[in-house]
Each structure stands twice: as structure tokens, then as C-alpha cells.
């Protein structure tokens, strides 16, 4: 599983939560969920739950707090996938 | 000159018709929306018949953004969104514009928040999986869930209220909207109510043994208001919404005007003098009707049509007697009276708004819809009013003023007076 694979999967999840489809098409590690993608911060928990289901991982609350932008989100997902191995 | 309040938009999700054209056709032709529920038979309910709108949840994608639609599950909120957005667009407005309408408010009511969502919460918690519930549960569990979705979609910025008064909820919501315009608080109000009767809510009424259980194999005959064979009410689900406007505001934007609200009243019988948690005190009902007439400044003789509460229980006879006393009209002098519940059952909180939409359509198109399943009127009722007042077929007739009332658990009454719009 590469960072690119996860980024592509993440885009599909984020499509349900961002009103800004243009920004979604050009996201990178620095893209901020709330400021750039205009995602309601309350929905961050839903994005985390969907990521958990897709990768069969568990993102505990301490790890979730590290997620600020696309880059840190991919980091946490990768970390949890690797922990599983 | 005192402000006049008119109706400029209608939306309806009813068991016998979703959308105004389908609903109008159904009420003109006496089409029943009641269906046999195989699931209710499996659950050993006494009554196995229910009114369910032919509503496709995915239809909401035509109204809501992808972000708003994702995670929305509750039927009760779905009905409300469709009815409200349809009414708003019917009045000539657009949805999802980004505008805020500071002059427009909303009163929308329901009996309880979405039971489907509540079940989801209970199941998750019992399986120790509450952390998987996500963020969109609270907004669908809260009683103001429907109102919150509607006001966000339409950009409503004036007074926003979620009301609840059992079966009087819908009529009360309309009355409150009327009053806010009348007082100058708002220029325009989106009003209405919604209800979804799932098997859990249904079971609570079934347990009270007040539902019609004798026509499970002939569902369209199960709701029989005013008949000698009335044997209890049949629950129904749905929603309806109305756009109310200050007449000058409506005229200034060249809105089409469907009808006028002349006035109304709501009160309680105090659960005294024969009134209880579940039955109305007749004195309270009569006072409510009289107060509505006085508020509308009309004479009882001016009423051409009564849209009754008339649920098909023993209370029908008492209701007829109360109308007769309040209007001081009986026998051949009693106005035409009908009960939409004969076709759609009792939609509880949604009843008042769906039935009001039916009243407005009758005023607009100048007819009186039939009471179906009334081949055998209750003799105790025909002792009070002429059988001619109980139409069993559509009547084409000049209808200028109609009274609509609903009575709810808790001994709450609400009565509205509508009229055909005349400049």
C-alpha cells in the first residue's frame, strides 16, 4: 500500500464531505481539511470512521488528534496499517 | 389596515399521493393510501394496516447537496425536507441559493425524533460500538432535526421553532406561522409537520387497543370515520408544508395566491370535565372553535366546509356534537364535513398540515372530497347532522370558507379558518 494508493482512496471518502470538488481534485499533503476543503470539522470523525472501515484499522483518539491535513492523515493510516502487520 | 396572511406554496408527502398533483387526484377520487403490512402480522400486532407514502429516499438527492445527503437516514426528516422544499419552490423560490431570508421564519413540528436513528444508537451502544456512530446522529435524533435541515436548505433567517402538541401539532404550526406574520415578526413563514410511524411507534398505539383491527385483509376499508363500523384509527406517515406570506409581500413579488388564513385558535381543555390525557374536554373544544371564529371575524353560518379531526373512534360522535354546539348548526343546516383520515389514516403530528393542504386544494378547485368507507353512517351522528352533510362522493360546490381542527393527546386543541382568496 503506497501513499498514492491511500490518497486516491481518501479522495473517494472526502467527496462525501467537501462541497469543494475542484480543490479535492488537486489535493496534496499540505491540503487542510477545514480551511482548504471547507469540511465541517464535526465531520472529521466520520472521515476517520470510514478510513477505519476501508483499511480494517483502529484509529484511537490520540492518533486522530495528530490529523491536521491530508499528509498527517495518510501518515496515521499508514502507521496503523503497518502496526497490523 | 391589519395584515392579511395568504398561502402561496404547498408541498405534501401523503400515503395516497406524493407531490401536490398526485395528492389532488387522490383526494378528488377517494383513493386510499392504506396498505396491509406483512411485517405487522409477523409482530402479532392487532392492527396490521398502515398509511405509508410512496416516498423514495434517493429522491432527496434532487434537493440536497451530496454533503447534506450523505449519512442522512431518517424517513421522518426525509418526508419533511421533501414537503418543505416542494412548498418553497411551489411558491416560486429557489433552494440551495446561499441567500439568507431574514424576513422568513419556520415553524415545523413532529411527535418524536426519528425512531430509526434511535434504534441505530441503541444497537451500536448495546454492541459496545458507540464510537462508530459518527457525527450525524445527534442532528437526526434531536427533535428539531427536521426544522434544522429545512432552514439550512432554504436559508431561513427569521424565527425558527419546532413545535409538538401530539395530533394538534400540524394545525398549531400553521397557526403560529400565521400569528408571526400577523404580528409583523416575519413577512413569510414556512410551516408544516411530519411523522414517521415505524413498527415501534405503531406498537405503542396498538398496545392501547385504539387501532382499527377488523379490516386487516381489506386495508383500504380500515379507516372508517363517522361510520357505524368505525373500530379505531389507522396510523399513517407523511409530511406537509405550506408557505404563508403577508399579502403585501406576496403581491409585491407577484406570487400566486392559493388561499387566505382568516384566523385560528389553540387551547387546552385542561384534562378536566371529561377531558383527560387521551380525550378532549368538550368545553375546551367548543371554546377553541368559537375563539377561532372570533379571531377570523366570521359568522358560524359562513362556514361551507369542516375538515374534521374525526379519527374513526368513539370520539367522532362527540366531535360532531361539539362542532354542532360551537356553530349552533344542526340537521340540514350543518355544513359539509369530511375526514381525510378515511383515505390516509391518522398521520398524528403530520395530520394537521396534510389535512390543511387538502382544505386549501378544495378551496382552490372548489370541491369537497368524499368520505370513503361511510356507507353506514353512525346513527348517533345522523341524529345530530343530516346525512347530506356527510358526502361519500366528490361534491362540486362553491366553497368560500372552511374550518379545520385537530385535537391531540394532552387535551390540546387547534382550529384554523381558511378562505378562498378574494382581493
Amino acid at each position: 500500500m503506497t501513499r498514492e494508493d491511500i490518497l486516491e482512496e481518501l479522495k473517494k471518502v472526502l467527496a462525501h464531505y467537501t462541497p469543494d470538488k475542484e480543490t479535492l481534485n488537486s489535493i496534496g499533503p499540505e491540503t487542510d481539511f477545514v480551511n482548504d476543503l471547507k469540511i465541517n470539522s464535526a465531520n472529521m470523525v466520520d472521515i476517520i470512521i470510514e478510513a477505519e472501515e476501508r483499511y480494517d484499522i483502529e484509529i484511537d483518539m490520540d492518533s486522530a488528534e495528530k490529523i491536521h491535513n491530508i499528509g498527517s492523515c495518510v501518515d496515521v493510516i499508514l502507521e496503523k496499517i503497518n502496526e497490523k502487520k | 389596515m391589519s395584515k392579511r396572511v395568504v398561502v402561496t406554496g404547498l408541498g405534501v408527502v401523503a400515503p395516497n399521493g406524493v407531490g401536490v398533483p398526485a395528492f389532488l387526484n387522490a383526494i378528488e377520487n377517494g383513493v386510499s393510501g392504506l396498505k396491509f403490512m406483512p411485517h405487522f402480522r409477523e409482530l402479532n400486532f392487532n392492527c396490521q394496516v398502515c398509511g405509508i407514502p410512496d416516498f423514495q429516499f434517493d429522491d432527496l438527492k434532487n434537493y440536497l447537496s451530496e454533503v447534506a445527503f450523505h449519512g442522512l437516514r431518517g424517513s421522518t426528516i426525509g418526508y419533511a425536507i421533501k414537503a418543505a422544499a416542494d412548498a418553497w419552490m411551489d411558491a416560486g423560490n429557489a433552494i440551495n441559493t446561499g441567500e439568507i431570508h431574514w424576513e422568513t421564519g419556520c415553524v415545523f413540528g413532529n411527535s418524536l425524533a426519528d425512531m430509526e436513528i434511535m434504534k441505530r444508537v441503541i444497537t451500536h451502544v448495546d454492541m459496545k460500538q458507540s464510537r462508530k456512530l459518527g457525527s450525524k446522529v445527534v442532528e437526526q435524533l434531536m427533535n428539531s432535526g427536521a426544522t434544522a435541515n429545512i432552514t439550512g436548505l432554504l436559508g431561513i433567517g427569521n424565527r425558527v421553532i419546532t413545535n409538538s402538541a401530539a395530533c394538534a401539532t400540524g394545525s398549531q404550526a400553521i397557526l403560529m406561522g400565521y400569528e408571526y406574520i400577523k404580528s409583523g415578526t416575519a413577512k413569510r413563514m414556512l410551516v408544516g409537520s411530519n411523522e414517521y410511524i415505524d413498527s415501534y411507534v405503531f406498537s405503542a398505539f396498538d398496545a392501547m387497543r385504539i387501532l382499527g383491527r377488523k379490516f386487516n385483509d381489506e386495508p383500504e376499508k380500515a379507516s372508517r370515520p363517522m361510520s357505524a363500523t368505525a373500530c379505531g384509527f389507522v396510523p399513517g406517515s407523511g409530511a406537509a408544508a405550506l408557505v404563508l406570506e403577508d399579502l403585501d409581500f406576496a403581491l409585491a413579488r407577484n406570487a400566486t395566491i392559493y388561499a387566505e388564513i382568516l384566523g385560528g385558535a389553540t387551547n387546552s381543555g385542561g384534562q378536566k370535565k371529561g377531558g383527560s390525557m387521551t380525550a378532549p374536554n368538550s368545553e375546551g373544544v367548543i371554546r377553541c372553535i368559537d375563539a377561532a371564529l372570533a379571531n377570523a371575524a366570521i359568522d358560524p353560518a359562513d362556514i361551507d366546509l369542516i375538515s374534521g379531526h374525526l379519527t374513526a373512534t368513539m370520539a367522532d360522535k362527540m366531535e360532531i356534537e361539539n362542532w354542532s354546539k360551537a356553530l349552533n348548526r344542526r340537521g340540514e343546516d350543518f355544513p359539509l364535513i369530511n375526514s381525510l383520515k378515511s383515505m390516509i389514516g391518522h398521520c398524528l403530528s403530520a395530520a394537521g398540515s396534510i389535512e390543511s393542504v387538502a382544505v386549501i386544494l378544495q378551496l382552490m378547485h372548489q370541491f369537497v372530497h368524499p368520505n370513503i368507507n361511510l356507507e353506514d353512517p353512525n346513527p348517533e351522528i345522523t341524529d345530530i347532522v343530516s346525512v347530506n352533510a356527510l358526502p361519500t362522493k366528490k361534491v362540486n360546490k362553491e366553497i368560500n370558507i372552511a374550518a379545520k381542527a385537530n385535537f391531540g393527546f394532552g387535551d390540546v386543541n387547534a382550529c384554523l379558518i381558511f378562505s378562498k382568496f378574494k382581493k
Side-chain angles (χ1 to χ4, degrees):
Chain A
M1 190 88 55
T2 65
R3 295 187 72 88
E4 285 68 34
D5 293 337
I6 292 172
L7 194 68
E8 281 311 304
E9 281 293 300
L10 203 52
K11 270 190 188 176
K12 290 179 201 161
V13 174
L14 296 176
H16 298 307
Y17 298 99
T18 176
D20 189 346
K21 305 293 180 224
E22 267 178 42
T23 306
L24 183 65
N25 286 329
S26 58
I27 55 170
E30 299 304 318
T31 307
D32 187 278
F33 291 105
V34 176
N35 296 326
D36 300 324
L37 285 167
K38 310 283 182 282
I39 288 173
N40 178 346
S41 58
N43 290 153
M44 283 309 297
V45 61
D46 304 300
I47 293 166
I48 289 167
I49 291 169
E50 287 202 31
E52 287 180 327
E53 280 169 10
R54 269 169 200 255
Y55 297 106
D56 192 23
I57 53 176
E58 195 165 308
I59 300 173
D60 55 274
M61 285 181 75
D62 288 339
S63 303
E65 280 170 14
K66 292 181 202 154
I67 298 175
H68 300 292
N69 54 20
I70 296 289
S72 53
C73 185
V74 174
D75 287 343
V76 169
I77 291 172
L78 262 180
E79 181 191 319
K80 295 298 171 189
I81 291 172
N82 288 329
E83 275 177 20
K84 247 191 1 171
K85 283 175 183 167
Chain B
M1 193 181 139
S2 175
K3 291 181 177 62
R4 292 171 68 183
V5 179
V6 292
V7 181
T8 57
L10 300 174
V12 64
V13 176
N16 66 348
V18 176
V20 168
F23 180 65
L24 172 61
N25 180 60
I27 66 170
E28 281 182 309
N29 295 298
V31 177
S32 172
L34 303 186
K35 294 178 184 72
F36 170 64
M37 307 290 284
H39 184 49
F40 288 4
R41 181 158 290 178
E42 285 163 29
L43 291 169
N44 295 322
F45 289 171
N46 295 308
C47 174
Q48 299 162 1
V49 175
C50 190
I52 290 282
D54 183 17
F55 173 76
Q56 306 299 322
F57 202 79
D58 273 359
D59 189 22
L60 294 176
K61 288 181 182 168
N62 297 319
Y63 300 82
L64 299 172
S65 70
E66 188 180 353
V67 174
F69 182 77
H70 189 67
L72 188 69
R73 289 185 172 84
S75 298
T76 185
I77 293 178
Y79 295 159
I81 292 172
K82 174 156 174 70
D86 281 352
W88 187 246
M89 292 189 286
D90 184 42
N93 307 301
I95 58 173
N96 271 324
T97 61
E99 256 179 289
I100 305 169
H101 303 282
W102 298 109
E103 75 299 319
T104 304
C106 177
V107 182
F108 220 89
N110 45 232
S111 300
L112 73 173
D114 209 293
M115 207 64 150
E116 287 170 341
I117 305 296
M118 222 174 272
K119 185 184 177 187
R120 202 175 137 78
V121 172
I122 291 167
T123 310
H124 273 74
V125 171
D126 287 352
M127 291 171 70
K128 302 186 172 63
Q129 291 191 330
S130 61
R131 60 186 300 276
K132 290 196 188 297
L133 280 168
S135 78
K136 295 196 73 160
V137 169
V138 172
E139 64 190 52
Q140 297 181 70
L141 259 190
M142 60 191 197
N143 274 333
S144 56
T147 314
N149 272 277
I150 292 166
T151 51
L153 179 65
L154 308 184
I156 285 175
N158 202 287
R159 197 166 289 206
V160 169
I161 292 180
T162 302
N163 71 310
S164 195
C167 308
T169 301
S171 308
Q172 220 181 44
I174 296 168
L175 179 65
M176 287 165 82
Y178 162 85
E179 288 172 345
Y180 290 141
I181 295 171
K182 199 80 179 164
S183 69
T185 305
K187 293 286 186 199
R188 182 166 53 184
M189 294 293 298
L190 186 293
V191 295
S193 56
N194 57 317
E195 190 79 72
Y196 175 60
I197 306 294
D198 68 349
S199 48
Y200 300 99
V201 180
F202 192 101
S203 73
F205 287 102
D206 197 56
M208 291 179 81
R209 305 186 187 188
I210 52 174
L211 304 187
R213 62 181 171 86
K214 294 181 181 166
F215 294 86
N216 289 337
D217 297 323
E218 297 171 287
E220 68 287 350
K221 293 187 179 167
S223 181
R224 315 179 63 77
M226 298 184 283
S227 83
T229 44
C231 55
F233 78 83
V234 175
S237 298
L242 294 74
V243 175
L244 310 183
E245 290 188 48
D246 175 302
L247 176 62
D248 294 334
F249 187 81
L251 290 175
R253 63 177 198 93
N254 286 318
T256 305
I257 295 167
Y258 296 151
E260 180 169 1
I261 300 183
L262 298 180
T266 181
N267 74 350
S268 166
Q271 300 178 41
K272 304 288 183 290
K273 292 187 169 180
S276 66
M277 178 60 78
T278 55
N281 165 4
S282 291
E283 188 183 336
V285 170
I286 293 168
R287 290 177 79 103
C288 183
I289 296 168
D290 285 346
L293 293 169
N295 181 247
I298 60 156
D299 191 274
D302 295 335
I303 290 180
D304 300 308
L305 169 66
I306 296 169
S307 168
H309 187 58
L310 300 169
T311 61
T313 65
M314 289 182 306
D316 289 359
K317 184 229 157 191
M318 202 204 302
E319 179 179 340
I320 298 289
E321 203 174 311
N322 290 337
W323 280 111
S324 178
K325 283 182 183 163
L327 303 181
N328 194 23
R329 294 172 67 178
R330 53 189 298 125
E332 289 293 339
D333 183 43
F334 196 80
L336 292 172
I337 183 163
N338 57 16
S339 173
L340 186 66
K341 293 181 181 80
S342 62
M343 293 180 234
I344 66 170
H346 185 358
C347 296
L348 306 173
S349 274
S353 58
I354 298 175
E355 291 163 9
S356 290
V357 169
V359 167
I360 291 160
L361 291 172
Q362 291 171 91
L363 288 166
M364 284 165 68
H365 300 281
Q366 295 289 291
F367 72 98
V368 175
H369 74 64
N371 291 289
I372 68 170
N373 304 321
L374 190 52
E375 308 81 21
D376 56 340
N378 181 341
E380 289 184 305
I381 288 176
T382 50
D383 278 350
I384 306 167
V385 305
S386 163
V387 70
N388 297 325
L390 316 174
T392 55
K393 291 197 163 59
K394 178 189 171 194
V395 178
N396 294 306
K397 188 172 182 287
E398 188 180 344
I399 302 292
N400 289 305
I401 295 182
K404 159 87 231 125
N406 291 103
F407 315 111
F409 277 16
D411 200 0
V412 182
N413 311 307
C415 181
L416 299 164
I417 309 292
F418 293 95
S419 91
K420 195 169 114 180
F421 177 66
K422 288 171 187 156
K423 278 190 182 168

